Structure formats: C-alpha cells, structure tokens
Amino acid sequence: MRLRKKDIFFETLENMADTIVQAADYFAQNITDLQNKVDEFAAEMKKYESQCDTYTHTVIKELNKTFITPLERDDIMDLITSMDDVMDGLEASASRFYMYNLLDTDEYIVQFAEILRQSAYEIQKAVHLLSQKKLLAIREYTIRLNDLENQADEVLLICTKALFETVKDPIELIKRKELYERLETTTDKCEDVANMLESIIMRNS
C-alpha cells in the first residue's frame, strides 16, 4: 500500500520544529565550555538559523502557489514566522557570546539555556500533533510553554538584581544585562508560538 505523502506545510513546520530542538540542544550543551571555540559556536548556531530561514521561504513559496491549504493561510504564515523568531533569538544570543567575547557562563545563562531547550521540545511535540490533527492534545504543551516563560521572567528578575549587586565593571555589566534580556526575550518568542497554536486550536476545533 502506498503511503500518503505528507502535506508540504505540515512537513516544513515539523522540520522547522526539529531544527529548533537541535539548535537549542546544541546551545545548552556548549555554552558551559566556550574557551577556544566561541567562534565555532556562533557559526554553528548561524547554520541552524539559515536552515530555518530556508523553511520559512519554502512555506512562503508554497502559499503563493497552493489554492487549498490544510489550515488558514494566515495561521500557517504566522506560525512559521513565530517559530523562526525563536530560532533568530537563539542565534542572536549565541552571536553575543562571540561579539562580546563572553567565555565565562554563569548559572543564570545556564538556567535560561535549559528553559529554552525545554521550550523547544514543547514546540516540537505540539507541532507534530498539529500535523496529526490532534488539536486539543496540543494544549498540554502550550500551557507548559507559558509556564516556562514565567520561569524565565523570574530568572531575569533574580539575575538582574544580582548583576547590579556584584558586577562593578560597567562594560561587563552592560554585556551581561543585554545577554540576559536577549535570552528572556527568546522565551517570549516561544510563548508567542504557544499563543499562535492556541489560536489555531480555537479556529479549527
């Protein structure tokens, strides 16, 4: 029996989610040891970001030539864009280590990286359920994404307070603060994916 070919939109969304997981895993695994390889780290994250750009362009191209789509056209576009924003945030965070020559990772950066890694897996699970049309089951993962974003808010409060209490060098303070905020903003982008998925559930249930 011939297997039915997977819809190009769902397939590309899944590929995007899988790549975000790979990138978040790589990010979390490597930020604790950037000595002598921070340039390699930033370059590898850029590759993941470029791959996700390719998936976004694939969706745009297919939307322009496809009359009937499995979801509302705007929903597909908004979802792939919000996922691309997550990858952009991960890559932008990685590039800060290179630009600022930040080689010493602290406990807060590690916590942000773990939150982002977990968020990536929640996005992946939700998007694969979307492909299977198991819409209501996605809610478990959107709720989890919201919880993870709240955790990141808390980490940002704690690390910013600690930063101003302990770091005396103003340049170092600026670099760390900007990186913390960039990481937290990326968790906001993960929550945007959750909100987009919730909108799709509401319109299609």
Side-chain angles (χ1 to χ4, degrees):
M1 187 176 77
R2 280 182 64 186
L3 291 174
R4 188 177 174 187
K5 189 176 184 296
K6 182 169 286 189
D7 177 271
I8 184 64
F9 296 107
F10 286 142
E11 181 178 32
T12 307
L13 287 165
E14 286 185 1
N15 288 339
M16 174 77 96
D18 294 346
T19 302
I20 290 170
V21 163
Q22 292 165 19
D25 269 341
Y26 180 85
F27 186 92
Q29 289 163 7
N30 285 274
I31 56 160
T32 54
D33 182 24
L34 292 176
Q35 298 290 339
N36 303 317
K37 65 174 188 179
V38 68
D39 51 347
E40 176 191 329
F41 171 69
E44 191 65 23
M45 290 299 295
K46 184 64 182 175
K47 289 179 187 176
Y48 287 121
E49 190 265 340
S50 297
Q51 183 61 63
C52 285
D53 283 345
T54 300
Y55 294 137
T56 302
H57 295 149
T58 296
V59 164
I60 293 169
K61 183 180 72 176
E62 292 296 327
L63 283 173
N64 285 331
K65 71 179 187 181
T66 304
F67 184 65
I68 299 175
T69 56
L71 299 168
E72 293 288 336
R73 306 171 80 81
D74 287 348
D75 287 346
I76 294 171
M77 193 65 227
D78 289 346
L79 181 56
I80 198 81
T81 301
S82 63
M83 291 167 66
D84 194 42
D85 287 344
V86 173
M87 186 62 248
D88 287 345
L90 281 166
E91 189 277 327
S93 299
S95 72
R96 267 43 183 193
F97 288 96
Y98 175 74
M99 287 190 298
Y100 300 156
N101 200 32
L102 276 171
L103 306 180
D104 297 321
T105 306
D106 59 42
E107 62 182 296
Y108 307 112
I109 294 171
V110 171
Q111 288 176 47
F112 279 123
E114 180 57 22
I115 289 169
L116 285 165
R117 191 186 69 80
Q118 291 181 36
S119 297
Y121 276 97
E122 301 305 322
I123 289 170
Q124 182 188 45
K125 287 179 277 194
V127 169
H128 279 263
L129 284 174
L130 183 64
S131 299
Q132 299 167 40
K133 307 288 181 67
K134 296 179 179 178
L135 297 181
L136 295 180
I138 292 172
R139 282 232 162 87
E140 174 186 345
Y141 304 107
T142 60
I143 291 168
R144 177 72 176 140
L145 282 163
N146 289 324
D147 289 342
L148 287 163
E149 194 278 330
N150 288 335
Q151 289 178 33
D153 286 345
E154 185 68 21
V155 173
L156 183 63
L157 283 173
I158 294 168
C159 68
T160 303
K161 184 174 185 293
L163 189 65
F164 280 94
E165 288 174 348
T166 59
V167 177
K168 304 307 178 187
D169 180 348
I171 301 300
E172 182 68 17
L173 188 147
I174 290 167
K175 290 194 285 189
R176 294 266 168 183
K177 183 174 180 290
E178 206 273 336
L179 179 58
Y180 293 156
E181 289 172 348
R182 175 69 61 175
L183 288 163
E184 193 280 328
T185 297
T186 307
T187 70
D188 291 340
K189 300 303 181 184
C190 295
E191 187 177 43
D192 289 345
V193 175
N195 294 337
M196 191 60 239
L197 287 165
E198 284 286 351
S199 296
I200 291 171
I201 293 167
M202 284 171 50
R203 276 195 280 272
N204 293 275
S205 296

